[in-house]
Amino acid sequence: MIKISNLVKEFNINGKFRAVDDVSLEVNQGEVYGIIGLSGAGKSTLVRCINRLEEFDQGSIEIEGVRVDKLNSKELLNLRKNIGMIFQHFNLFSQMTVSENIAYPLKLAKHSKAEIEQKVDEMLDFVELKDKKDSYPSSLSGGQKQRVAIARALANNPKILLSDESTSALDPTTTQEILKLIRKLVDNYGTTVIMITHQMEVAKSICDRIAVMQDGKIVEENYTKELFRHPKSEITRSFIQDISIDDELDIIKSSAKGRLFRLTYDDKSYNSPIISELSKSFDIDINILSGNVNKLSNTNVGYLIVEFIGDDRKIDKAVNYCKEKDIFMEVLNV
């Protein structure tokens, strides 16, 4: 669907600065693909290159086999009709009603009045705002404004939706409502979504795969479940590990009498009595020091920091047992 190869985007800010540095990735049809990173990581610049709102310096972008960088102005305009965008600050026209905002791209595309009215009503029904049809943005809540922005972005039936920090200005409850709406459009229309965010809470709730960006580069990419189970980079671990666990870890290490492990387990085993089984089967004492369960879009991944106390040979057998049960174990001390 979308193939980005060796993409480079530079800015001249007190000399050349690479906002996107040799990035390659592929996004599949009907997938919600997350790109997460701290402010300045390059993720928004990257997504703006996809529809050439930003012109890039090196590399290539293909959408359904078509090279975006080779398109002329007319061809690019036609491509953009198939790419919707939603932003953090909604970007609605304050002087237009909700229905007029949604109708705007349809008018630009020269649809008939009847077609526009039908599509606006369809979109209002989809985002559950039929009663706000004649309201102005100033009278809407943040979540309602974002629903209008989504409806406008979907008005031309785009194959791709680019979401650039679209939930950052919303409270947690409203954020979840918007994420459910985005998932609904994927399920109903097969839309491909690229979700730009700095919030792992957002990415884990909806994304099928996640790429982690740092300093313009993709430092790690994986299916969401595997990213949580086997984070490879420090920046990824900093996103997914519970803050309270990290704060306590130094204290836990300094006072530990046995061997420390972080256990990661998924929805096949997160509610199984693993700790009890290990203690009974291998005759070792186990202290549970900290833990949590992360609910992902369609599964669960749990974490426990535990201390194994006992004979090293028995502990080794317990560790091997966990591996056989597909429970990932990270050694936290020697």
Side-chain angles (χ1 to χ4, degrees):
M1 178 60 174
I2 301 173
K3 182 178 180 181
I4 299 175
S5 303
N6 307 112
L7 199 74
V8 173
K9 171 61 182 177
E10 295 180 334
F11 293 100
N12 284 309
I13 305 173
N14 298 322
K16 284 189 177 180
F17 165 71
R18 280 201 173 185
V20 179
D21 189 0
D22 195 27
V23 166
S24 297
L25 59 86
E26 294 188 28
V27 182
N28 301 317
Q29 170 70 40
E31 182 176 39
V32 182
Y33 187 94
I35 301 176
I36 188 168
L38 299 174
S39 178
K43 53 192 187 297
S44 292
T45 302
L46 172 61
V47 80
R48 288 169 63 86
C49 288
I50 292 174
N51 58 0
R52 279 177 55 189
L53 288 178
E54 290 282 0
E55 297 289 355
F56 47 92
D57 300 294
Q58 297 176 36
S60 64
I61 298 176
E62 294 181 20
I63 298 179
E64 295 187 317
V66 176
R67 282 279 297 268
V68 172
D69 51 307
K70 300 295 184 181
L71 301 179
N72 60 37
S73 297
K74 184 178 180 180
E75 292 168 334
L76 181 59
L77 186 61
N78 287 330
L79 173 78
R80 286 174 175 167
K81 291 178 183 178
N82 282 316
I83 303 176
M85 273 194 100
I86 50 176
F87 305 89
Q88 178 179 355
H89 297 297
F90 322 125
N91 292 351
L92 301 179
F93 297 109
S94 60
Q95 74 277 17
M96 293 183 182
T97 65
V98 166
S99 60
E100 289 170 340
N101 267 282
I102 298 170
Y104 183 74
L106 297 168
K107 289 180 179 179
L108 290 180
K110 302 187 184 305
H111 287 274
S112 70
K113 185 177 179 181
E115 288 173 330
I116 291 173
E117 288 179 355
Q118 180 181 351
K119 193 62 180 180
V120 167
D121 286 341
E122 179 189 338
M123 289 296 94
L124 284 169
D125 186 53
F126 180 78
V127 299
E128 300 177 359
L129 284 177
K130 292 181 74 172
D131 60 327
K132 300 295 183 181
K133 182 175 183 177
D134 298 318
S135 300
Y136 287 89
S138 59
S139 68
L140 304 179
S141 68
Q144 289 171 334
K145 289 176 183 177
Q146 196 59 285
R147 285 174 181 269
V148 176
I150 292 172
R152 184 179 62 184
L154 297 179
N156 274 321
N157 300 318
K159 296 179 180 180
I160 299 166
L161 180 67
L162 307 178
S163 170
D164 191 0
E165 298 282 9
S166 60
T167 61
S168 295
L170 306 176
D171 62 75
T173 300
T174 307
T175 292
Q176 289 304 313
E177 292 174 358
I178 295 300
L179 294 180
K180 287 178 183 177
L181 183 60
I182 292 173
R183 175 53 70 179
K184 179 181 170 185
L185 79 89
V186 173
D187 294 340
N188 287 14
Y189 299 110
T191 310
T192 302
V193 179
I194 297 183
M195 177 77 63
I196 301 297
T197 183
H198 65 275
Q199 301 168 300
M200 184 57 84
E201 194 69 29
V202 168
K204 76 173 188 177
S205 298
I206 190 172
C207 295
D208 301 302
R209 288 190 294 148
I210 297 174
V212 182
M213 279 195 80
Q214 186 177 30
D215 299 327
K217 295 179 178 291
I218 299 291
V219 297
E220 186 167 355
E221 179 196 46
N222 213 329
Y223 288 95
T224 302
K225 177 179 174 180
E226 292 306 312
L227 191 81
F228 270 73
R229 295 189 68 206
H230 306 293
K232 296 182 177 66
S233 66
E234 188 60 38
I235 185 69
T236 305
R237 284 192 287 270
S238 73
F239 274 121
I240 68 175
Q241 290 172 1
D242 186 89
I243 294 173
S244 63
I245 291 178
D246 286 341
D247 289 343
E248 294 169 5
L249 194 52
D250 287 340
I251 298 173
I252 289 172
K253 286 181 178 179
S254 66
S255 60
K257 298 177 182 177
R259 291 163 63 180
L260 292 178
F261 300 91
R262 181 186 281 112
L263 276 63
T264 310
Y265 45 94
D266 57 20
D267 52 358
K268 296 177 183 177
S269 57
Y270 83 95
N271 59 354
S272 300
I274 297 295
I275 299 301
S276 176
E277 290 178 14
L278 292 174
S279 183
K280 292 177 181 177
S281 300
F282 300 100
D283 189 27
I284 57 176
D285 294 324
I286 302 176
N287 290 332
I288 299 175
L289 303 174
S290 194
N292 68 345
V293 174
N294 279 290
K295 185 173 179 58
L296 309 183
S297 59
N298 57 3
T299 187
N300 299 285
V301 174
Y303 302 90
L304 281 178
I305 291 181
V306 296
E307 180 183 28
F308 286 6
I309 301 173
D311 183 83
D312 280 338
R313 289 173 296 178
K314 294 179 179 179
I315 293 175
D316 290 339
K317 289 181 180 178
V319 170
N320 289 332
Y321 175 83
C322 287
K323 291 178 180 177
E324 291 171 2
K325 292 289 186 179
D326 201 27
I327 299 170
F328 179 73
M329 297 187 72
E330 179 185 357
V331 179
L332 297 180
N333 66 352
V334 180

